[in-house]
Amino acid sequence: MTYRKTWFSYVVWAVYAGLCVMLLAFMGYYLYLESIAVPAAGIGVFLIFPVAVGVYWGIRETASYLRTKYTLSRHTAQMLEAFAVAFCMVFGLLRRIFAVLYTDTYYALTDTAPAAIRDIVQTPYASYYDMALVRTGGQLEPLAHGAGYLYVLCVSAVCSFLGNKLMSAVLLEAVIQIISMILGYLAVRKAAGKLPACIVLAYLSFSQIYLNEMYRIAPDNFVFMLYLAGLLLILQYNKDYCGNRFSRPMTICGAVLIGVVTGILVYLDLRLIVLFVFLIGLFTGQKAHLAGEPVNHTGKVSAGAFLAALVSGAGGLCVMFSIAALYGETGFARAASDWLELYRQKSSFGLFGNRDRIMPEFVAVTLMITAASFLVFEFFRNHKEQNYTLWLLAAVLTAPTPMALGGILPYTMLPLFQWSALAGLGLQNCIFGGQAKVVQAKIEEINASAEQNTRYIENPLPLPRKHVKKEMDYQYPVADEDMKYDIEVDERDDFDIS
């Protein structure tokens, strides 16, 4: 999906470029500090920039040369994508199975070692598992955090079938991660393309950070799955709307549905309010104009759909407050107040709040930031249309760094997902950008090759004889005095025949 470049795009680009400079300096310092471990490692703050620029130009020029010489067919691209998706899904699933069955963690989760439970499940997360245990005559207590309560219900339902074992909760986490991988791939492919989608899927499949999250019995992964589901729904709506596939009544009805669903998700976790950012694509998306069909995506329709989504989102949130008040036997105002108080007291924010969690993949995250910084250069390569403007805006507003912390949970994967999508977009635009220049180079190469390799064949048709100049001549020479052909006659002789 493409977006128009406007003055607002330059503002977003400037903020994003500043974030990339800050992140590259931060990652460069710590990367060299871990490798050299001397005060001179501070040079990494500056050395990372020429390295990033050199890698960008190397990939760009190499890709441009290869694209000029060779052409990748559509069938080959589809086969490569299918292989990459199958590889990531199969081995991502196997990694989770092996992580559960063939590590010491598996034996620590069995009933034979109950004392090891708190070594695996940290104290802040143990309460979710304790609440989910199925007890005779027991009843789950309602929680102000909607996603946490829904997560506890899911864990309790699994434990009712598989038994009160921590292994049951871990298996549920594994299923949630597999579903999230599928949703993440579909969402990114819908709005960014094949290469970014494959990169996001590969990261979710093989990330050790994400694998470690499987052993934390908490609603983090559950919230991440809800975020991806809502994101896929909104991106599909944006694409259909910009493609002029909706009539005006359908556009408003779809916006109301999107708003209600997003409002429910916001009640489950306030962090999911960032989904409304992607509705800006209604305004910035490149609109399709089909001949002979009415235009149903004008500026007024876009504004109406956006407002309808916001109003219906507020309505969906109020409905959830009413349900919570009815279930908890409290008033509407009390339910809303408890919900707001939860986030006011327990929320925490920080640009590098999750830094300790990403240390196992410090090099991979550094490469991710480097690839995402390619978009800073690609901004001026594409003049009128881009396919990453909305992703830049979402990163600036919701995940300014891959280590960002904001809310009552760590939400480790939300910013990492956002930046992995940006890394995929950076590589995609670096490799496949500048299409007009590549096409022009191919045309010039074909013309030059045609001139050099021109071969003429012999004309099979008979050719006319060459002209030979002829001169007047006699068999014997005639004297000049004999060269007289005029006969003198009398002037009165008119040759009259009577």
Side-chain angles (χ1 to χ4, degrees):
M1 187 172 179
T2 57
Y3 308 94
R4 300 187 308 271
K5 182 187 286 188
T6 62
W7 64 268
F8 186 68
S9 303
Y10 287 88
V11 176
V12 175
W13 171 84
V15 178
Y16 179 75
L19 289 175
C20 288
V21 170
M22 178 189 68
L23 287 172
L24 287 174
F26 177 83
M27 304 302 283
Y29 175 78
Y30 275 90
L31 185 63
Y32 280 84
L33 186 63
E34 291 292 330
S35 303
I36 304 176
V38 294
I43 196 175
V45 175
F46 306 100
L47 190 58
I48 190 69
F49 295 104
V51 171
V53 173
V55 171
Y56 166 75
W57 281 104
I59 295 176
R60 174 176 168 173
E61 295 303 319
T62 302
S64 179
Y65 173 79
L66 293 176
R67 290 166 60 200
T68 304
K69 296 294 182 182
Y70 309 99
T71 301
L72 185 65
S73 66
R74 182 178 180 181
H75 176 71
T76 303
Q78 291 176 345
M79 293 300 295
L80 290 175
E81 181 190 11
F83 174 78
V85 172
F87 178 83
C88 293
M89 289 301 302
V90 171
F91 283 89
L93 178 61
L94 291 177
R95 281 200 70 194
R96 281 151 182 80
I97 294 176
F98 293 155
V100 173
L101 300 180
Y102 297 100
T103 62
D104 295 336
T105 304
Y106 170 77
Y107 300 101
L109 293 177
T110 59
D111 294 335
T112 58
I117 288 179
R118 292 192 179 275
D119 295 335
I120 300 169
V121 183
Q122 291 84 347
T123 302
Y125 303 100
S127 58
Y128 290 102
Y129 173 72
D130 294 338
M131 287 187 293
L133 294 178
V134 180
R135 297 180 177 90
T136 304
Q139 187 175 0
L140 295 178
E141 298 181 1
L143 299 175
H145 184 215
Y149 181 67
L150 187 58
Y151 174 76
V152 170
L153 287 177
C154 294
V155 175
S156 179
V158 173
C159 289
S160 64
F161 287 99
L162 303 180
N164 288 332
K165 302 177 182 179
L166 200 56
M167 174 63 67
S168 303
V170 173
L171 291 177
L172 175 62
E173 289 285 341
V175 173
I176 291 175
Q177 288 196 4
I178 295 298
I179 296 175
S180 299
M181 289 161 52
I182 299 174
L183 292 175
Y185 168 77
L186 294 177
V188 177
R189 193 182 190 280
K190 185 71 64 178
K194 298 177 182 178
L195 181 59
C198 292
I199 290 177
V200 168
L201 180 60
Y203 181 73
L204 294 179
S205 299
F206 299 101
S207 172
Q208 187 62 39
I209 300 174
Y210 197 30
L211 192 65
N212 292 340
E213 291 292 318
M214 190 174 65
Y215 299 109
R216 295 186 172 94
I217 310 304
D220 297 63
N221 289 331
F222 186 68
V223 172
F224 180 55
M225 182 186 68
L226 295 177
Y227 169 79
L228 294 177
L231 179 63
L232 177 60
L233 184 64
I234 291 176
L235 293 178
Q236 181 64 55
Y237 174 75
N238 286 351
K239 188 172 183 179
D240 291 339
Y241 171 76
C242 293
N244 202 30
R245 299 186 181 96
F246 292 148
S247 63
R248 297 192 178 187
M250 289 180 60
T251 298
I252 301 301
C253 292
V256 171
L257 177 61
I258 291 291
V260 170
V261 173
T262 308
I264 295 174
L265 294 177
V266 170
Y267 171 79
L268 295 178
D269 195 287
L270 184 59
R271 180 66 185 269
L272 299 184
I273 198 173
V274 301
L275 290 172
F276 283 108
V277 174
F278 289 92
L279 285 174
I280 298 177
L282 296 175
F283 301 96
T284 61
Q286 186 68 30
K287 306 298 191 300
H289 299 279
L290 303 178
E293 294 187 5
V295 178
N296 298 316
H297 45 47
T298 61
K300 293 182 180 180
V301 177
S302 300
F306 186 76
L307 291 176
L310 293 180
V311 172
S312 58
L317 182 61
C318 292
V319 170
M320 294 305 296
F321 285 151
S322 301
I323 295 176
L326 182 63
Y327 184 76
E329 298 181 354
T330 60
F332 177 87
R334 178 62 181 275
S337 176
D338 292 344
W339 185 81
L340 293 173
E341 190 67 18
L342 170 69
Y343 291 99
R344 189 186 69 84
Q345 291 184 354
K346 296 187 178 182
S347 295
S348 56
F349 303 91
L351 291 178
F352 302 97
N354 285 326
R355 182 178 60 185
D356 295 337
R357 289 176 177 265
I358 72 165
M359 285 303 171
E361 294 180 1
F362 191 82
V363 176
V365 175
T366 302
L367 295 176
M368 180 192 302
I369 295 174
T370 302
S373 66
F374 292 171
L375 295 176
V376 176
F377 308 104
E378 288 293 325
F379 183 82
F380 295 100
R381 192 180 182 185
N382 302 320
H383 299 289
K384 296 182 179 180
E385 297 178 0
Q386 299 170 335
N387 65 341
Y388 51 84
T389 302
L390 196 60
W391 294 93
L392 295 186
L393 180 62
V396 169
L397 295 180
T398 65
T401 70
M403 300 150 280
L405 175 65
I408 62 175
L409 296 173
Y411 307 105
T412 307
M413 294 309 301
L414 282 178
L416 287 174
F417 165 79
Q418 189 70 39
W419 281 86
S420 63
L422 290 173
L425 284 166
L427 285 175
Q428 176 178 258
N429 283 270
C430 180
I431 296 174
F432 299 103
Q435 183 67 19
K437 183 179 179 181
V438 172
V439 172
Q440 182 65 27
K442 284 186 176 182
I443 294 175
E444 293 177 356
E445 183 179 357
I446 292 173
N447 292 337
S449 176
E451 292 178 358
Q452 294 176 0
N453 300 327
T454 301
R455 294 183 302 171
Y456 298 99
I457 63 174
E458 184 178 355
N459 190 355
L461 299 177
L463 297 176
R465 296 180 179 179
K466 293 184 178 181
H467 175 70
V468 179
K469 185 177 180 181
K470 296 182 178 180
E471 295 182 359
M472 200 75 172
D473 199 2
Y474 300 94
Q475 293 182 357
Y476 60 91
V478 180
D480 292 337
E481 57 272 14
D482 295 333
M483 296 292 290
K484 295 179 180 180
Y485 301 98
D486 295 335
I487 301 175
E488 296 180 0
V489 297
D490 189 3
E491 292 181 356
R492 294 175 295 178
D493 188 1
D494 295 329
F495 298 96
D496 188 13
I497 300 174
S498 59

